[in-house]
Amino acid sequence: LVLMRCGAGAVDVVVVPHAPAFGAELELASLERRIEAHEHERMRALFPEGGLFTLSFTGFAEVNVAVLHPDDTALREHVRGELVRLLALSENEREQAPFSSWAKRGSWRGVILEGHQNLLRAGYVMLGGADDAIVDAFHRTSAALFAGFVRSPSGALESFWGRTWYVDNAVALESLRLHDVLYGTRYSAALERFRDAIVVDDRLGLPVSEVSIGAKRVLDGPRGCALSWLLAFPAGDGPEGAHDRGWDRYVDAFTVDVAGMRGLREYPRGHRGTMNVDSGPIAFDIGAAASAFGIAAARYHDDGDALGRMLLPLEILTLPSITLHGDEELFFGQLPAADAIAVWARTVTRWDAPKPPSSTTVPLLPTLCAELALLVPVLLALRFFLRALARLSAARDASRDRLTVSRRLR
């Protein structure tokens, strides 16, 4: 099946649905090309961190692939160059909402942007990068992050002014752990404190999503989008010896299995919630973000059975396609942030102890048939989702602006 995708006034891609995905290298080649064309910038209109996440998760995936091929010097050199470019582009996100809301506090831009940049720097150094400016920024930002974590009453840093989501700290904490690996510092004390201080839901035994300053009140309970992301990093491991305990509890409480495929709920069984910019689309209780980040968590916990079951709907619903450039896109190239998160999730590994992926099987014929059958419904759903996400993002920005104004008035 050959289709045409219309770009800005021109048809620029021939798409051929296929299964399984052709591989991380083709997806990363596509992301590199589209970032060169500044397509990450339009992701800001869909969700606040969209521009940054397109850049950072592309970089994280590049490092994942490079550390799994330690003898490929050409690949490592290429990835180092890409990380330099991604770090430079990420500087532009400092003056974009929501990160620009930190401007009154000086150059600091919150744990999300500072943490994502710092993990990109960690990857650069892990691959042998020696640029003085990047290495110095890695040392400086790591020290600042560590000082902030030590001072924080909740053990976590604010995502935005007055708002603390645990999951937003996972990337920054991983950058500190890797700084210890590379330089022998003791910043992992912040990671241990975070794990000890995290508030856990009494019923589920899983971390809540959002807490007030000082963690005195729970503002939002366990959510699939947050738990999947958190459990894909050491920050979600919990106390010593509990590496897989949280993942097992999460799978028990949030899994939905249908016809050999697996999705993850956005809200635990018995709880109803609404779609927002964090959850992505929710259908039959299954959350898009929870399921996408869940692939990364399954990889991190080496759960081959869960990984295979979750990869199948990814292959079907994202309709992977080959472009005229010879690279690969998901969602017909409309959501580069989703492409970046998907390729990162499928390649997740610890950079200091890389481990090849568990063997999984995605059946070719059923996947291809399902892609063809779902082509039109998925396109319609994608159109609806893009419009809904834009409305939700606008509402979230307006709410944040009102909150900032009220604080200034007080």
Side-chain angles (χ1 to χ4, degrees):
L1 177 64
V2 179
L3 299 172
M4 308 298 285
R5 188 195 87 183
C6 294
V11 176
D12 61 354
V13 175
V14 176
V15 293
V16 184
H18 66 88
F22 283 95
E25 291 82 1
L26 294 183
E27 293 177 60
L28 289 170
S30 170
L31 283 163
E32 290 172 8
R33 172 177 56 80
R34 287 186 283 166
I35 288 170
E36 178 93 18
H38 297 278
E39 289 190 26
H40 62 284
E41 294 176 0
R42 62 184 174 84
M43 290 293 94
R44 299 171 189 154
L46 293 182
F47 66 102
E49 305 89 353
L52 174 67
F53 286 3
T54 307
L55 299 172
S56 62
F57 280 101
T58 296
F60 301 160
E62 298 260 24
V63 179
N64 289 342
V65 174
V67 297
L68 288 168
H69 297 84
D71 298 326
D72 192 335
T73 55
L75 173 62
R76 294 166 81 88
E77 182 178 358
H78 170 77
V79 172
R80 287 198 301 269
E82 283 300 309
L83 292 172
V84 171
R85 182 169 73 107
L86 293 170
L87 278 164
L89 288 171
S90 70
E91 282 296 306
N92 298 329
E93 300 300 315
R94 289 180 170 274
E95 306 312 317
Q96 302 294 326
F99 309 114
S100 57
S101 65
W102 288 87
K104 295 291 184 181
R105 296 190 181 185
S107 61
W108 190 256
R109 290 296 183 268
V111 73
I112 300 175
L113 189 143
E114 302 293 349
H116 281 241
Q117 284 190 325
N118 215 43
L119 190 55
L120 289 174
R121 297 183 191 110
Y124 174 79
V125 177
M126 292 284 298
L127 296 177
D131 181 276
D132 287 342
I134 294 176
V135 175
D136 288 347
F138 185 34
H139 292 319
R140 188 172 60 253
T141 305
S142 295
L145 284 167
F146 177 69
F149 279 115
V150 170
R151 289 194 304 266
S152 172
S154 67
L157 298 181
E158 294 171 81
S159 308
F160 306 110
W161 283 32
R163 306 296 297 272
T164 303
W165 285 274
Y166 284 131
V167 65
D168 292 332
N169 291 260
V171 170
L173 288 165
E174 178 65 355
S175 76
L176 296 186
R177 189 187 71 81
L178 290 172
H179 195 281
D180 288 359
V181 170
L182 289 161
Y183 297 104
T185 47
R186 297 183 178 180
Y187 293 153
S188 291
L191 174 59
E192 294 163 7
R193 184 167 181 263
F194 174 86
R195 289 168 174 168
D196 291 338
I198 201 165
V199 178
V200 173
D201 179 80
D202 292 335
R203 185 174 68 88
L204 296 174
L206 292 166
V208 301
S209 298
E210 185 186 0
V211 293
S212 64
I213 299 296
K216 295 179 180 178
R217 291 184 298 119
V218 172
L219 302 181
D220 198 2
R223 293 274 302 273
C225 59
L227 287 168
S228 286
W229 184 336
L230 187 65
L231 288 166
F233 283 90
D237 281 353
E240 192 69 29
H243 172 66
D244 292 322
R245 197 179 307 156
W247 172 246
D248 293 339
R249 288 175 180 158
Y250 180 44
V251 168
D252 289 343
F254 282 78
T255 290
V256 179
D257 286 327
V258 179
M261 297 184 291
R262 173 167 293 179
L264 291 167
R265 300 172 183 272
E266 176 59 27
Y267 299 95
R269 287 186 185 86
H271 290 255
R272 287 286 180 180
T274 57
M275 179 187 95
N276 58 27
V277 292
D278 297 319
S279 70
I282 299 175
F284 307 106
D285 295 331
I286 297 173
S291 298
F293 281 99
I295 291 170
R299 283 269 294 127
Y300 178 73
H301 290 274
D302 201 25
D303 189 339
D305 178 65
L307 181 61
R309 291 171 181 268
M310 286 191 283
L311 282 174
L312 183 53
L314 177 73
E315 293 294 340
I316 293 172
L317 297 176
T318 61
L319 293 173
S321 55
I322 292 296
T323 73
L324 286 176
H325 301 278
D327 51 33
E328 181 181 4
E329 296 176 342
L330 307 180
F331 296 115
F332 302 108
Q334 296 302 301
L335 294 170
D339 288 53
I341 292 169
V343 68
W344 164 77
R346 287 175 34 237
T347 58
V348 158
T349 190
R350 286 176 71 127
W351 295 349
D352 56 323
K355 185 177 181 181
S358 304
S359 62
T360 57
T361 302
V362 179
L364 178 62
L365 185 58
T367 307
L368 180 58
C369 292
E371 282 186 347
L372 296 176
L374 290 170
L375 179 61
V376 172
V378 168
L379 286 174
L380 294 173
L382 177 61
R383 182 184 180 191
F384 169 80
F385 170 59
L386 291 174
R387 291 181 174 180
L389 201 57
R391 289 194 295 269
L392 285 168
S393 181
R396 179 174 170 177
D397 289 344
S399 175
R400 185 181 295 113
D401 290 343
R402 287 194 296 272
L403 183 63
T404 301
V405 169
S406 67
R407 284 203 182 102
R408 288 173 178 169
L409 291 175
R410 290 200 295 270

